[in-house]
PDB file of all heavy atoms in Angstrom:
ATOM      1  N   ARG A   1      77.798 -22.786-126.874  1.00 84.00           N
ATOM      2  CA  ARG A   1      78.845 -22.621-126.063  1.00 84.00           C
ATOM      3  C   ARG A   1      80.210 -22.354-126.720  1.00 84.00           C
ATOM      4  O   ARG A   1      81.098 -21.572-126.260  1.00 84.00           O
ATOM      5  CB  ARG A   1      79.035 -23.919-125.160  1.00 84.00           C
ATOM      6  CG  ARG A   1      78.050 -24.048-124.120  1.00 84.00           C
ATOM      7  CD  ARG A   1      78.267 -25.289-123.225  1.00 84.00           C
ATOM      8  NE  ARG A   1      78.006 -26.526-123.876  1.00 84.00           N
ATOM      9  CZ  ARG A   1      78.784 -27.560-123.979  1.00 84.00           C
ATOM     10  NH1 ARG A   1      80.007 -27.500-123.465  1.00 84.00           N
ATOM     11  NH2 ARG A   1      78.382 -28.632-124.531  1.00 84.00           N
ATOM     12  N   LEU A   2      80.383 -22.903-127.841  1.00 87.00           N
ATOM     13  CA  LEU A   2      81.625 -22.661-128.671  1.00 87.00           C
ATOM     14  C   LEU A   2      81.566 -21.267-129.170  1.00 87.00           C
ATOM     15  O   LEU A   2      82.597 -20.513-129.109  1.00 87.00           O
ATOM     16  CB  LEU A   2      81.758 -23.606-129.775  1.00 87.00           C
ATOM     17  CG  LEU A   2      82.940 -23.294-130.765  1.00 87.00           C
ATOM     18  CD1 LEU A   2      84.219 -23.692-130.012  1.00 87.00           C
ATOM     19  CD2 LEU A   2      82.879 -24.176-132.109  1.00 87.00           C
ATOM     20  N   LEU A   3      80.381 -20.812-129.706  1.00 87.00           N
ATOM     21  CA  LEU A   3      80.438 -19.412-130.223  1.00 87.00           C
ATOM     22  C   LEU A   3      80.633 -18.382-129.076  1.00 87.00           C
ATOM     23  O   LEU A   3      81.240 -17.343-129.395  1.00 87.00           O
ATOM     24  CB  LEU A   3      79.054 -19.161-130.891  1.00 87.00           C
ATOM     25  CG  LEU A   3      78.722 -19.939-131.973  1.00 87.00           C
ATOM     26  CD1 LEU A   3      77.288 -19.660-132.497  1.00 87.00           C
ATOM     27  CD2 LEU A   3      79.689 -19.751-133.153  1.00 87.00           C
ATOM     28  N   ARG A   4      80.222 -18.718-127.882  1.00 84.00           N
ATOM     29  CA  ARG A   4      80.504 -17.748-126.810  1.00 84.00           C
ATOM     30  C   ARG A   4      82.007 -17.663-126.411  1.00 84.00           C
ATOM     31  O   ARG A   4      82.523 -16.656-126.006  1.00 84.00           O
ATOM     32  CB  ARG A   4      79.824 -18.083-125.597  1.00 84.00           C
ATOM     33  CG  ARG A   4      78.206 -17.989-125.782  1.00 84.00           C
ATOM     34  CD  ARG A   4      77.458 -18.433-124.527  1.00 84.00           C
ATOM     35  NE  ARG A   4      76.047 -18.390-124.699  1.00 84.00           N
ATOM     36  CZ  ARG A   4      75.199 -17.281-124.725  1.00 84.00           C
ATOM     37  NH1 ARG A   4      75.789 -16.118-124.416  1.00 84.00           N
ATOM     38  NH2 ARG A   4      73.856 -17.442-124.911  1.00 84.00           N
ATOM     39  N   ALA A   5      82.667 -18.849-126.565  1.00 86.00           N
ATOM     40  CA  ALA A   5      84.077 -18.875-126.176  1.00 86.00           C
ATOM     41  C   ALA A   5      85.035 -18.652-127.359  1.00 86.00           C
ATOM     42  O   ALA A   5      86.217 -18.316-127.055  1.00 86.00           O
ATOM     43  CB  ALA A   5      84.318 -20.209-125.538  1.00 86.00           C
ATOM     44  N   SER A   6      84.623 -18.742-128.536  1.00 89.00           N
ATOM     45  CA  SER A   6      85.571 -18.703-129.672  1.00 89.00           C
ATOM     46  C   SER A   6      86.093 -17.300-129.850  1.00 89.00           C
ATOM     47  O   SER A   6      85.412 -16.236-129.543  1.00 89.00           O
ATOM     48  CB  SER A   6      84.883 -19.203-130.972  1.00 89.00           C
ATOM     49  OG  SER A   6      85.652 -18.991-132.061  1.00 89.00           O
ATOM     50  N   VAL A   7      87.364 -17.163-130.417  1.00 89.00           N
ATOM     51  CA  VAL A   7      87.954 -15.893-130.822  1.00 89.00           C
ATOM     52  C   VAL A   7      88.139 -15.740-132.297  1.00 89.00           C
ATOM     53  O   VAL A   7      88.658 -14.834-132.841  1.00 89.00           O
ATOM     54  CB  VAL A   7      89.188 -15.645-130.061  1.00 89.00           C
ATOM     55  CG1 VAL A   7      88.970 -15.576-128.566  1.00 89.00           C
ATOM     56  CG2 VAL A   7      90.236 -16.795-130.354  1.00 89.00           C
ATOM     57  N   LYS A   8      87.613 -16.726-133.032  1.00 93.00           N
ATOM     58  CA  LYS A   8      87.884 -16.881-134.465  1.00 93.00           C
ATOM     59  C   LYS A   8      86.497 -16.534-135.208  1.00 93.00           C
ATOM     60  O   LYS A   8      85.477 -16.805-134.666  1.00 93.00           O
ATOM     61  CB  LYS A   8      88.459 -18.164-134.902  1.00 93.00           C
ATOM     62  CG  LYS A   8      89.803 -18.462-134.306  1.00 93.00           C
ATOM     63  CD  LYS A   8      90.834 -17.557-135.045  1.00 93.00           C
ATOM     64  CE  LYS A   8      92.169 -17.717-134.402  1.00 93.00           C
ATOM     65  NZ  LYS A   8      92.854 -19.035-134.887  1.00 93.00           N
ATOM     66  N   PRO A   9      86.553 -16.120-136.440  1.00 95.00           N
ATOM     67  CA  PRO A   9      85.290 -15.980-137.205  1.00 95.00           C
ATOM     68  C   PRO A   9      84.627 -17.422-137.300  1.00 95.00           C
ATOM     69  O   PRO A   9      85.273 -18.427-137.495  1.00 95.00           O
ATOM     70  CB  PRO A   9      85.761 -15.511-138.520  1.00 95.00           C
ATOM     71  CG  PRO A   9      87.073 -14.890-138.368  1.00 95.00           C
ATOM     72  CD  PRO A   9      87.612 -15.623-137.205  1.00 95.00           C
ATOM     73  N   CYS A  10      83.251 -17.368-137.132  1.00 96.00           N
ATOM     74  CA  CYS A  10      82.530 -18.588-137.171  1.00 96.00           C
ATOM     75  C   CYS A  10      81.474 -18.498-138.113  1.00 96.00           C
ATOM     76  O   CYS A  10      80.673 -17.592-138.192  1.00 96.00           O
ATOM     77  CB  CYS A  10      82.031 -18.969-135.801  1.00 96.00           C
ATOM     78  SG  CYS A  10      83.206 -19.298-134.592  1.00 96.00           S
ATOM     79  N   LEU A  11      81.280 -19.689-138.925  1.00 97.00           N
ATOM     80  CA  LEU A  11      80.145 -19.629-140.041  1.00 97.00           C
ATOM     81  C   LEU A  11      79.247 -20.759-139.420  1.00 97.00           C
ATOM     82  O   LEU A  11      79.631 -21.930-139.345  1.00 97.00           O
ATOM     83  CB  LEU A  11      80.679 -20.068-141.330  1.00 97.00           C
ATOM     84  CG  LEU A  11      79.638 -20.197-142.496  1.00 97.00           C
ATOM     85  CD1 LEU A  11      78.975 -19.000-142.719  1.00 97.00           C
ATOM     86  CD2 LEU A  11      80.228 -20.865-143.676  1.00 97.00           C
ATOM     87  N   VAL A  12      78.048 -20.332-139.034  1.00 96.00           N
ATOM     88  CA  VAL A  12      76.959 -21.296-138.594  1.00 96.00           C
ATOM     89  C   VAL A  12      76.041 -21.580-139.652  1.00 96.00           C
ATOM     90  O   VAL A  12      75.412 -20.666-140.276  1.00 96.00           O
ATOM     91  CB  VAL A  12      76.266 -20.768-137.402  1.00 96.00           C
ATOM     92  CG1 VAL A  12      75.310 -21.665-136.808  1.00 96.00           C
ATOM     93  CG2 VAL A  12      77.329 -20.368-136.308  1.00 96.00           C
ATOM     94  N   THR A  13      75.868 -22.810-140.094  1.00 96.00           N
ATOM     95  CA  THR A  13      75.122 -23.230-141.317  1.00 96.00           C
ATOM     96  C   THR A  13      73.798 -23.943-141.001  1.00 96.00           C
ATOM     97  O   THR A  13      73.742 -24.773-139.975  1.00 96.00           O
ATOM     98  CB  THR A  13      76.062 -24.017-142.170  1.00 96.00           C
ATOM     99  OG1 THR A  13      76.225 -25.249-141.611  1.00 96.00           O
ATOM    100  CG2 THR A  13      77.233 -23.285-142.585  1.00 96.00           C
ATOM    101  N   PRO A  14      72.745 -23.732-141.793  1.00 94.00           N
ATOM    102  CA  PRO A  14      71.573 -24.431-141.606  1.00 94.00           C
ATOM    103  C   PRO A  14      71.566 -25.838-142.263  1.00 94.00           C
ATOM    104  O   PRO A  14      72.651 -26.277-142.599  1.00 94.00           O
ATOM    105  CB  PRO A  14      70.509 -23.539-142.430  1.00 94.00           C
ATOM    106  CG  PRO A  14      71.367 -22.914-143.446  1.00 94.00           C
ATOM    107  CD  PRO A  14      72.792 -22.777-142.988  1.00 94.00           C
ATOM    108  N   ALA A  15      70.422 -26.454-142.306  1.00 92.00           N
ATOM    109  CA  ALA A  15      70.325 -27.921-142.741  1.00 92.00           C
ATOM    110  C   ALA A  15      70.402 -28.067-144.238  1.00 92.00           C
ATOM    111  O   ALA A  15      70.684 -29.185-144.759  1.00 92.00           O
ATOM    112  CB  ALA A  15      69.182 -28.591-142.178  1.00 92.00           C
ATOM    113  N   GLN A  16      70.143 -27.045-144.940  1.00 94.00           N
ATOM    114  CA  GLN A  16      70.111 -26.997-146.392  1.00 94.00           C
ATOM    115  C   GLN A  16      71.222 -26.096-146.989  1.00 94.00           C
ATOM    116  O   GLN A  16      71.401 -24.993-146.690  1.00 94.00           O
ATOM    117  CB  GLN A  16      68.768 -26.563-146.928  1.00 94.00           C
ATOM    118  CG  GLN A  16      67.677 -27.362-146.526  1.00 94.00           C
ATOM    119  CD  GLN A  16      67.680 -28.823-147.064  1.00 94.00           C
ATOM    120  OE1 GLN A  16      68.150 -29.056-148.086  1.00 94.00           O
ATOM    121  NE2 GLN A  16      67.312 -29.820-146.201  1.00 94.00           N
ATOM    122  N   PHE A  17      71.995 -26.627-147.986  1.00 97.00           N
ATOM    123  CA  PHE A  17      73.157 -25.906-148.651  1.00 97.00           C
ATOM    124  C   PHE A  17      72.503 -25.120-149.772  1.00 97.00           C
ATOM    125  O   PHE A  17      71.640 -25.528-150.520  1.00 97.00           O
ATOM    126  CB  PHE A  17      74.076 -26.978-149.085  1.00 97.00           C
ATOM    127  CG  PHE A  17      75.236 -26.316-150.031  1.00 97.00           C
ATOM    128  CD1 PHE A  17      76.262 -25.657-149.417  1.00 97.00           C
ATOM    129  CD2 PHE A  17      75.112 -26.394-151.387  1.00 97.00           C
ATOM    130  CE1 PHE A  17      77.185 -25.070-150.184  1.00 97.00           C
ATOM    131  CE2 PHE A  17      76.141 -25.769-152.166  1.00 97.00           C
ATOM    132  CZ  PHE A  17      77.185 -25.016-151.518  1.00 97.00           C
ATOM    133  N   ARG A  18      73.063 -24.017-149.997  1.00 96.00           N
ATOM    134  CA  ARG A  18      72.764 -23.082-151.176  1.00 96.00           C
ATOM    135  C   ARG A  18      74.095 -22.351-151.576  1.00 96.00           C
ATOM    136  O   ARG A  18      74.928 -22.075-150.730  1.00 96.00           O
ATOM    137  CB  ARG A  18      71.686 -22.209-150.915  1.00 96.00           C
ATOM    138  CG  ARG A  18      71.897 -21.270-149.806  1.00 96.00           C
ATOM    139  CD  ARG A  18      70.489 -20.574-149.384  1.00 96.00           C
ATOM    140  NE  ARG A  18      70.098 -19.592-150.280  1.00 96.00           N
ATOM    141  CZ  ARG A  18      68.910 -18.817-150.133  1.00 96.00           C
ATOM    142  NH1 ARG A  18      68.184 -19.105-149.226  1.00 96.00           N
ATOM    143  NH2 ARG A  18      68.640 -17.935-150.995  1.00 96.00           N
ATOM    144  N   GLU A  19      74.357 -22.200-152.814  1.00 97.00           N
ATOM    145  CA  GLU A  19      75.494 -21.419-153.207  1.00 97.00           C
ATOM    146  C   GLU A  19      75.426 -19.977-152.775  1.00 97.00           C
ATOM    147  O   GLU A  19      74.327 -19.474-152.622  1.00 97.00           O
ATOM    148  CB  GLU A  19      75.608 -21.444-154.797  1.00 97.00           C
ATOM    149  CG  GLU A  19      75.787 -22.792-155.388  1.00 97.00           C
ATOM    150  CD  GLU A  19      77.086 -23.416-155.359  1.00 97.00           C
ATOM    151  OE1 GLU A  19      78.017 -22.586-154.846  1.00 97.00           O
ATOM    152  OE2 GLU A  19      77.345 -24.537-155.558  1.00 97.00           O
ATOM    153  N   LEU A  20      76.520 -19.437-152.511  1.00 98.00           N
ATOM    154  CA  LEU A  20      76.687 -18.031-152.083  1.00 98.00           C
ATOM    155  C   LEU A  20      76.896 -17.035-153.133  1.00 98.00           C
ATOM    156  O   LEU A  20      78.011 -16.829-153.610  1.00 98.00           O
ATOM    157  CB  LEU A  20      77.910 -17.969-150.997  1.00 98.00           C
ATOM    158  CG  LEU A  20      77.772 -19.011-149.797  1.00 98.00           C
ATOM    159  CD1 LEU A  20      79.009 -18.835-149.007  1.00 98.00           C
ATOM    160  CD2 LEU A  20      76.497 -18.768-149.060  1.00 98.00           C
ATOM    161  N   HIS A  21      75.730 -16.451-153.528  1.00 98.00           N
ATOM    162  CA  HIS A  21      75.718 -15.389-154.591  1.00 98.00           C
ATOM    163  C   HIS A  21      75.409 -14.037-154.049  1.00 98.00           C
ATOM    164  O   HIS A  21      75.753 -13.064-154.645  1.00 98.00           O
ATOM    165  CB  HIS A  21      74.776 -15.762-155.716  1.00 98.00           C
ATOM    166  CG  HIS A  21      75.131 -17.024-156.333  1.00 98.00           C
ATOM    167  ND1 HIS A  21      76.293 -17.287-157.018  1.00 98.00           N
ATOM    168  CD2 HIS A  21      74.446 -18.271-156.486  1.00 98.00           C
ATOM    169  CE1 HIS A  21      76.330 -18.493-157.526  1.00 98.00           C
ATOM    170  NE2 HIS A  21      75.258 -19.105-157.162  1.00 98.00           N
ATOM    171  N   SER A  22      74.755 -14.028-152.926  1.00 98.00           N
ATOM    172  CA  SER A  22      74.207 -12.730-152.457  1.00 98.00           C
ATOM    173  C   SER A  22      74.388 -12.642-150.877  1.00 98.00           C
ATOM    174  O   SER A  22      73.933 -13.585-150.162  1.00 98.00           O
ATOM    175  CB  SER A  22      72.643 -12.648-152.679  1.00 98.00           C
ATOM    176  OG  SER A  22      72.183 -11.486-152.074  1.00 98.00           O
ATOM    177  N   LEU A  23      75.106 -11.641-150.423  1.00 98.00           N
ATOM    178  CA  LEU A  23      75.418 -11.386-149.089  1.00 98.00           C
ATOM    179  C   LEU A  23      74.660 -10.261-148.434  1.00 98.00           C
ATOM    180  O   LEU A  23      74.617  -9.202-149.128  1.00 98.00           O
ATOM    181  CB  LEU A  23      76.914 -11.305-148.754  1.00 98.00           C
ATOM    182  CG  LEU A  23      77.865 -12.421-148.877  1.00 98.00           C
ATOM    183  CD1 LEU A  23      77.700 -13.150-150.116  1.00 98.00           C
ATOM    184  CD2 LEU A  23      79.298 -12.021-148.678  1.00 98.00           C
ATOM    185  N   LEU A  24      74.183 -10.465-147.209  1.00 98.00           N
ATOM    186  CA  LEU A  24      73.558  -9.365-146.435  1.00 98.00           C
ATOM    187  C   LEU A  24      74.370  -8.968-145.237  1.00 98.00           C
ATOM    188  O   LEU A  24      74.647  -9.924-144.416  1.00 98.00           O
ATOM    189  CB  LEU A  24      72.088  -9.688-145.987  1.00 98.00           C
ATOM    190  CG  LEU A  24      71.446  -8.710-145.082  1.00 98.00           C
ATOM    191  CD1 LEU A  24      71.156  -7.480-145.977  1.00 98.00           C
ATOM    192  CD2 LEU A  24      70.142  -9.247-144.505  1.00 98.00           C
ATOM    193  N   LEU A  25      74.866  -7.786-145.154  1.00 97.00           N
ATOM    194  CA  LEU A  25      75.825  -7.366-144.029  1.00 97.00           C
ATOM    195  C   LEU A  25      75.031  -6.404-143.093  1.00 97.00           C
ATOM    196  O   LEU A  25      74.442  -5.390-143.575  1.00 97.00           O
ATOM    197  CB  LEU A  25      77.010  -6.642-144.703  1.00 97.00           C
ATOM    198  CG  LEU A  25      77.890  -5.983-143.657  1.00 97.00           C
ATOM    199  CD1 LEU A  25      78.599  -6.948-142.783  1.00 97.00           C
ATOM    200  CD2 LEU A  25      78.881  -5.016-144.404  1.00 97.00           C
ATOM    201  N   ALA A  26      74.942  -6.863-141.812  1.00 94.00           N
ATOM    202  CA  ALA A  26      74.301  -5.963-140.847  1.00 94.00           C
ATOM    203  C   ALA A  26      75.484  -4.986-140.287  1.00 94.00           C
ATOM    204  O   ALA A  26      76.473  -5.387-139.750  1.00 94.00           O
ATOM    205  CB  ALA A  26      73.740  -6.797-139.746  1.00 94.00           C
ATOM    206  N   TYR A  27      74.992  -3.712-140.321  1.00 94.00           N
ATOM    207  CA  TYR A  27      76.056  -2.694-139.993  1.00 94.00           C
ATOM    208  C   TYR A  27      75.385  -1.694-139.179  1.00 94.00           C
ATOM    209  O   TYR A  27      74.337  -1.027-139.531  1.00 94.00           O
ATOM    210  CB  TYR A  27      76.699  -2.045-141.298  1.00 94.00           C
ATOM    211  CG  TYR A  27      77.778  -1.153-140.989  1.00 94.00           C
ATOM    212  CD1 TYR A  27      79.028  -1.543-140.562  1.00 94.00           C
ATOM    213  CD2 TYR A  27      77.553   0.258-141.155  1.00 94.00           C
ATOM    214  CE1 TYR A  27      80.035  -0.616-140.417  1.00 94.00           C
ATOM    215  CE2 TYR A  27      78.614   1.213-140.950  1.00 94.00           C
ATOM    216  CZ  TYR A  27      79.822   0.733-140.538  1.00 94.00           C
ATOM    217  OH  TYR A  27      80.816   1.667-140.314  1.00 94.00           O
ATOM    218  N   ASP A  28      76.020  -1.229-138.034  1.00 88.00           N
ATOM    219  CA  ASP A  28      75.568  -0.196-137.192  1.00 88.00           C
ATOM    220  C   ASP A  28      76.560   0.849-136.780  1.00 88.00           C
ATOM    221  O   ASP A  28      76.307   1.673-135.945  1.00 88.00           O
ATOM    222  CB  ASP A  28      74.811  -0.704-135.888  1.00 88.00           C
ATOM    223  CG  ASP A  28      75.724  -1.483-134.994  1.00 88.00           C
ATOM    224  OD1 ASP A  28      76.949  -1.444-135.306  1.00 88.00           O
ATOM    225  OD2 ASP A  28      75.195  -2.087-133.966  1.00 88.00           O
ATOM    226  N   GLY A  29      77.718   0.809-137.329  1.00 88.00           N
ATOM    227  CA  GLY A  29      78.769   1.740-137.102  1.00 88.00           C
ATOM    228  C   GLY A  29      79.660   1.374-135.874  1.00 88.00           C
ATOM    229  O   GLY A  29      80.539   2.054-135.536  1.00 88.00           O
ATOM    230  N   SER A  30      79.207   0.300-135.152  1.00 85.00           N
ATOM    231  CA  SER A  30      80.040  -0.082-133.949  1.00 85.00           C
ATOM    232  C   SER A  30      81.302  -0.748-134.311  1.00 85.00           C
ATOM    233  O   SER A  30      81.495  -1.139-135.453  1.00 85.00           O
ATOM    234  CB  SER A  30      79.174  -1.001-133.084  1.00 85.00           C
ATOM    235  OG  SER A  30      78.977  -2.257-133.805  1.00 85.00           O
ATOM    236  N   GLY A  31      82.147  -1.009-133.323  1.00 84.00           N
ATOM    237  CA  GLY A  31      83.497  -1.559-133.657  1.00 84.00           C
ATOM    238  C   GLY A  31      83.251  -2.982-134.146  1.00 84.00           C
ATOM    239  O   GLY A  31      84.010  -3.293-135.100  1.00 84.00           O
TER     240      GLY A  31
END
């Protein structure tokens, strides 16, 4: 519900933490 209403960037995290060394970006040319 928050994600649907939010206007700010949101980071949704799983139950296990891991350091951020590798990022995957989904891109389709849309706005």
Side-chain angles (χ1 to χ4, degrees):
R1 282 187 288 129
L2 177 67
L3 294 176
R4 293 181 188 279
S6 175
V7 297
K8 297 294 179 72
C10 293
L11 178 67
V12 182
T13 64
Q16 299 296 323
F17 172 80
R18 55 195 286 179
E19 296 286 349
L20 302 180
H21 300 298
S22 175
L23 280 55
L24 177 67
L25 168 69
Y27 184 75
D28 64 5
S30 66

